[in-house]
Amino acid sequence: MDELSLYGKRKRPGELFWTAVIYGAASLSVFLLLGIMAYVFSRGFRVLSLRFFFTATSALKGTVGIGGNLLNTFFLMGITLSAAVPLGVGCAVYLNEYAGRGRMVRLIELTTEILAGIPSVIFGLFGMVFFGRVLGLGYSLLSGSLTLAIMVLPLIVRSTQEALSAVPDAYREGALGLGAAKWYLIRTILLPCARTGILTGILLAVGRILGESAALLFTAGSARLLPKAGRGFWENVRGIGRKAAEPGGTLAVELYLQMQKGEYKTAFGIGCVLIMAAVLLNLLLRLAGRLKG
C-alpha cells in the first residue's frame, strides 16, 4: 500500500535526475550568495565604523565617510515612494477592480510591461531633459526621485495586481451580497488580504532604488556633503528640507565613483552597507508577511 502512495512510490531515473538538478541549482544559488557576501565583507568590513557612517568624504578635511550619501539615499527613497506607491497601488486597484478586461486595460498592462523593460539609462536621459531642463529642477534629489518613481511604478502596479487577483472571488461576492459598497470592500477586505504582495512590490522597489546609479548620475548628481549645522532646531530642519532641491549622490553612485578612483576599500565598505540593507529588507518582508491584519 505504501508503494502506491504519492510519497512512498519508487522514483524513476528521470525523476531522480531532475530532482538532483533542482537541488543542485538551489545549493549553487545559496553558495553563490554566501560567497559574494563573504568576499565583499572580507574586503570592506574593516572600513566600517561610526565615523564612516556619520562623516562625509572630503579631500580638504582628509575624511572618508558615507554620511552625506546615506542622507541622500533616505531622501531619495522617501520622495520616490511617496510619489510611486499611491499612484501604483491606485492604478492596480482601478485595473483589477473597476476597469474590467477591455482593450484599454490590455493596452495599459502592455505599456507597464514595456516600461519595466526599458534600460535605466534611458530613464536617466528622460529625467535629465524633462525634470531637469523642462521643469527647471536641474541636478537635484527631487529630479532623481521623480525619475526613479517612473522606473519603479510598473513594479508596484504589477505586484499589486497579482496580489489583488490572488484574493478569492468569494470574498468579493460575499461582501457585495451583504450590501457592502465597492470602495468599502476594497479598503477593508481586498487591500488587507493583499497586504503581503503589495509590501513585496514596495520592498522590491526599495531594493531597485538602493541599487540604481545610472539614472541618478544624469539627474541627481554625485554631491556627498552633509547639511551645515545651524544654531537652532528649526534652522537645521529647514537645512535638511532644502536638500531635496540640491544635487546629491546615493550609496550606489558613491560606490561607482570610488571604484573609478581606485578606492577599493571604501567601495567594498559601501558594498557591505548595501548588502546589509538588502538583508534587512528581506527580514522586514518576512516579518510583514507574518503580521495579522
Side-chain angles (χ1 to χ4, degrees):
M1 184 67 180
D2 185 59
E3 292 182 357
L4 298 177
S5 65
L6 180 62
Y7 297 101
K9 71 174 185 179
R10 185 176 300 174
K11 293 184 177 181
R12 298 176 181 178
E15 294 177 346
L16 292 174
F17 172 75
W18 287 112
T19 302
V21 170
I22 292 171
Y23 277 99
S27 302
L28 179 62
S29 63
V30 173
F31 284 124
L32 284 175
L33 174 63
L34 294 178
I36 292 173
M37 292 180 64
Y39 180 75
V40 173
F41 274 87
S42 66
R43 296 287 302 271
F45 187 75
R46 297 178 182 178
V47 180
L48 303 181
S49 63
L50 288 177
R51 186 177 182 181
F52 183 73
F53 280 98
F54 293 103
T55 59
T57 300
S58 174
L60 296 177
K61 298 180 180 179
T63 57
V64 177
I66 59 172
N69 302 109
L70 271 175
L71 186 60
N72 294 336
T73 303
F74 289 142
F75 256 94
L76 195 80
M77 192 182 306
I79 300 174
T80 301
L81 294 180
S82 298
V85 171
L87 184 59
V89 173
C91 180
V93 168
Y94 172 76
L95 292 175
N96 205 74
E97 303 300 326
Y98 289 100
R101 298 304 303 172
R103 292 183 178 178
M104 183 58 66
V105 174
R106 292 195 294 269
L107 178 61
I108 294 175
E109 291 178 348
L110 176 63
T111 303
T112 56
E113 292 174 0
I114 294 175
L115 197 64
I118 295 177
S120 59
V121 67
I122 304 299
F123 284 103
L125 182 62
F126 168 79
M128 181 185 67
V129 174
F130 183 73
F131 296 119
R133 297 182 180 177
V134 176
L135 298 185
L137 299 177
Y139 282 96
S140 64
L141 290 174
L142 183 58
S143 179
S145 299
L146 295 176
T147 303
L148 289 187
I150 300 175
M151 287 181 57
V152 302
L153 186 61
L155 183 61
I156 297 175
V157 171
R158 295 302 295 169
S159 61
T160 304
Q161 273 190 285
E162 294 296 329
L164 291 172
S165 299
V167 179
D169 288 335
Y171 290 10
R172 298 174 174 84
E173 295 168 359
L176 294 176
L178 291 173
K182 186 75 170 181
W183 171 240
Y184 184 83
L185 161 67
I186 294 171
R187 181 171 55 87
T188 60
I189 298 177
L190 298 186
L191 290 179
C193 290
R195 178 188 62 240
T196 302
I198 297 173
L199 288 176
T200 300
I202 293 174
L203 290 177
L204 289 174
V206 171
R208 185 167 186 182
I209 294 169
L210 284 174
E212 184 56 46
S213 59
L216 296 177
L217 285 171
F218 284 92
T219 55
S222 58
R224 57 173 73 100
L225 298 179
L226 286 164
K228 294 183 180 179
R231 296 181 180 179
F233 173 78
W234 292 112
E235 185 177 350
N236 291 330
V237 171
R238 286 192 294 269
I240 295 176
R242 284 193 295 267
K243 279 194 69 64
E246 299 175 355
T250 61
L251 290 172
V253 171
E254 184 65 17
L255 188 152
Y256 167 75
L257 295 177
Q258 293 295 333
M259 287 293 293
Q260 269 199 330
K261 295 188 296 184
E263 299 291 340
Y264 297 112
K265 290 184 179 180
T266 305
F268 277 106
I270 299 173
C272 292
V273 176
L274 291 174
I275 289 178
M276 289 188 291
V279 172
L280 180 61
L281 286 175
N282 282 274
L283 293 177
L284 288 176
L285 175 61
R286 290 182 176 272
L287 178 61
R290 293 176 182 176
L291 294 178
K292 299 294 183 181

